[in-house]
Amino acid sequence: MYNFEYFTPTKVVFGRGTESKVGQLVAEQNCKKVLIHYGKGSVIRSGLLDRVKKSLDEYQVDYIELGGAVPNPRLSLVYEGIELCRKEGVDFVLAVGGGSAIDSGKAIGYGVANEGDVWDFYCKKRQAKGCLPIGVVLTLSATGSEMSNSSVITREEDWNKRGYNCDYGRPKFAIMNPELTMTLPDYQTACGCTDIMMHTMERYFTNGGNMEITDSIAEALLRTVLANAKILMKEPDNYDARAEVMWAGSLAHNGLTGCGNDGGDFASHALEHEIGGMFDVAHGAGLAAIWGSWARYVYQDCLPRFKRYALNVMGVKEEGTDEEIALKGIEAMEDFYREIRMPVTIRELGIEPTDDQLKEMAHKCAAACNNKKGSAKILKEEDMLAIYRMAL
Ligand code: NZQ
Ligand code: ZN
């Protein structure tokens, strides 16, 4: 068991109609001017943006807005947001949307609160000394960005997709109304469930110790998302299933399921970020496409965890050797992905990378982590390439 720090400063306001409290929550922050930041328009079409503005108006909160955050949010919009906030004297960012709007909002917050190029933080050149306070109205259960210390941004110049983890960026509050996720296309719901599970699996498949309580929470969370993802494929308007998934999404990535371990593996995420950066695929789908190959590549180095996962999460019977049980668990997970219509290969993402592109992705992935990633098995560039080739 490792020592750990657990820091979750985000106030969660959860349930039906909670977006009407946004004015009050922002007013409590004592800010002068708010940037409402959102994506490509789902919040306009659903009427949510109007409801948010109405609530801000009720509390006489001054605001401006900037939409346009796309999946795999771009650095150019972050620069635009920073300039706008400086010009307008913005001192609070309210992200309304999914992980992309939130991450883009966090990046704007870092840019305004620090001198110099905000990309420096994402390419690990230096550390931020602060961030504008962030608030969230969540519309997609997936990334956990509403409580996490992460922000992931893509630089168009070289299609580098890089994450920055820093506690200054943890949102002050997150409004989570599961009903807001009912307008999602099924594909995004499935991508979200995949991402949620992966945030906990990344922490679960480790050789770096753990605590029984953490493992038990992780397994319960994974079983809950497995069951409710299947319900949502048939009943997208099922409130309880939406709520289970939404809360699981926050707990999966706010640090809770990593307490006591070595920080987790996160190789699947690193491998996906290169696919997302180069081919602009949905993050959750990219994870599903790579995971089975990663798991088969590493499971012998982390056999007790893979066996435990098979038995306690996937419901595999305890028959045969540990290896056989572990492999059945991996197969069962891939069957689950198929059931929720997620890809299990890179080609099933609808892309056809050449071998040179796979090499480029492996090279960039290795460069981003000093050629050492993982805990279940430590991967180097040649391992990353082997996994990409297996996953093709
Ligand atoms: O842009 P709009 O029009 O809002 O449409 C979005 C987008 O097309 C749509 N959408 C969102 N809520 C909706 C909705 N459509 C209908 N009804 C709603 N209620 O869904 C699409 C995807 O949205 P996006 O925000 O991109 O998805 P997600 O939340 O999965 O975020 C993905 C990004 O987050 C990063 C990913 O790499 C990716 O860039 N991640 C961030 C993390 C973090 N900050 O902690 C951790 C993750 O591992 C991940 O890397
Ligand atoms: Zn993720």
Side-chain angles (χ1 to χ4, degrees):
M1 190 193 304
Y2 286 63
N3 292 354
F4 64 88
E5 289 180 14
Y6 180 57
F7 179 59
T8 53
T10 308
K11 175 171 180 170
V12 172
V13 181
F14 194 100
R16 287 188 167 99
T18 44
E19 64 273 20
S20 67
K21 297 193 173 159
V22 67
Q24 181 193 337
L25 287 162
V26 173
E28 283 169 8
Q29 298 291 324
N30 291 321
C31 50
K32 293 194 189 72
K33 198 165 193 174
V34 174
L35 174 74
I36 307 176
H37 192 46
Y38 54 92
K40 290 295 278 182
S42 71
V43 299
I44 299 172
R45 291 189 294 280
S46 68
L48 174 63
L49 189 65
D50 281 343
R51 296 207 296 286
V52 165
K53 288 198 250 181
K54 187 170 164 245
S55 179
L56 294 177
D57 289 339
E58 277 166 19
Y59 283 82
Q60 286 96 44
V61 174
D62 197 8
Y63 56 82
I64 54 168
E65 50 184 284
L66 176 67
V70 292
N72 301 311
R74 309 291 199 258
L75 184 61
S76 57
L77 187 72
V78 171
Y79 288 147
E80 191 184 327
I82 295 168
E83 210 180 300
L84 181 67
C85 287
R86 289 213 167 113
K87 194 173 102 209
E88 298 279 341
V90 164
D91 56 358
F92 189 90
V93 178
L94 178 66
V96 185
S100 295
I102 305 169
D103 285 7
S104 182
K106 288 178 179 177
I108 292 169
Y110 287 125
V112 175
N114 295 274
E115 293 302 317
D117 188 353
V118 70
W119 186 249
D120 288 352
F121 307 131
Y122 291 80
C123 63
K124 319 271 183 292
K125 263 196 202 157
R126 61 192 174 105
Q127 288 294 328
K129 296 200 171 74
C131 183
L132 288 188
I134 312 287
V136 172
V137 181
L138 187 65
T139 65
L140 203 177
S141 315
T143 64
S145 188
E146 66 277 7
M147 286 183 92
S148 83
N149 67 352
S150 295
S151 157
V152 186
I153 298 294
T154 297
R155 180 166 72 168
E156 300 95 312
E157 186 184 308
D158 49 10
W159 297 110
N160 264 335
K161 177 173 173 177
R162 294 287 171 260
Y164 181 52
N165 295 348
C166 173
D167 280 338
Y168 291 126
R170 287 191 195 263
K172 299 289 175 205
F173 66 78
I175 292 177
M176 297 186 219
N177 174 0
E179 286 176 328
L180 298 179
T181 65
M182 289 179 186
T183 50
L184 280 167
D186 290 346
Y187 182 73
Q188 288 297 341
T189 299
C191 284
C193 291
T194 303
D195 194 23
I196 292 167
M197 291 186 71
M198 199 66 71
H199 292 149
T200 286
M201 288 154 72
E202 296 279 22
R203 293 170 167 93
Y204 185 89
F205 290 110
T206 164
N207 278 315
N210 220 329
M211 299 172 76
E212 184 52 41
I213 186 161
T214 298
D215 286 341
S216 302
I217 291 170
E219 288 164 1
L221 189 152
L222 291 164
R223 286 193 301 266
T224 302
V225 181
L226 267 174
N228 287 286
K230 291 184 203 172
I231 293 173
L232 288 176
M233 289 304 105
K234 296 194 186 94
E235 302 168 41
D237 291 346
N238 185 316
Y239 179 84
D240 289 346
R242 290 278 175 198
E244 298 283 356
V245 167
M246 187 169 247
W247 188 222
S250 302
L251 298 184
H253 205 35
N254 76 355
L256 179 66
T257 62
C259 292
N261 77 16
D262 63 349
D265 187 272
F266 284 95
S268 299
H269 265 77
L271 292 164
E272 189 291 321
H273 281 179
E274 300 310 324
I275 308 176
M278 199 183 276
F279 295 97
D280 205 20
V281 299
H283 172 62
L287 290 170
I290 204 82
W291 185 81
S293 300
W294 168 84
R296 286 194 178 79
Y297 195 82
V298 308
Y299 79 98
Q300 278 156 323
D301 292 70
C302 195
L303 200 49
R305 306 298 296 176
F306 275 90
K307 180 183 173 189
R308 192 178 159 143
Y309 184 81
L311 297 174
N312 293 355
V313 179
M314 301 313 299
V316 171
K317 288 209 182 88
E318 195 162 8
E319 290 167 0
T321 64
D322 288 358
E323 282 207 10
E324 284 165 352
I325 293 170
L327 281 171
K328 278 187 196 156
I330 296 169
E331 279 160 23
M333 191 65 200
E334 286 184 323
D335 285 344
F336 164 72
Y337 287 145
R338 290 188 189 98
E339 194 175 340
I340 62 167
R341 297 187 286 283
M342 282 286 100
V344 293
T345 65
I346 291 176
R347 285 201 180 98
E348 284 176 25
L349 283 165
I351 59 173
E352 191 83 32
T354 62
D355 202 55
D356 279 348
Q357 285 174 316
L358 297 183
K359 284 182 188 153
E360 188 184 338
M361 292 193 304
H363 186 68
K364 282 162 96 176
C365 190
C369 61
N370 286 326
N371 205 18
K372 194 171 170 245
K373 190 75 191 174
S375 170
K377 178 183 174 75
I378 293 173
L379 305 182
K380 293 180 175 298
E381 186 172 335
E382 60 266 30
D383 303 306
M384 295 165 184
L385 180 58
I387 294 171
Y388 281 135
R389 284 178 173 154
M390 273 171 78
L392 196 59

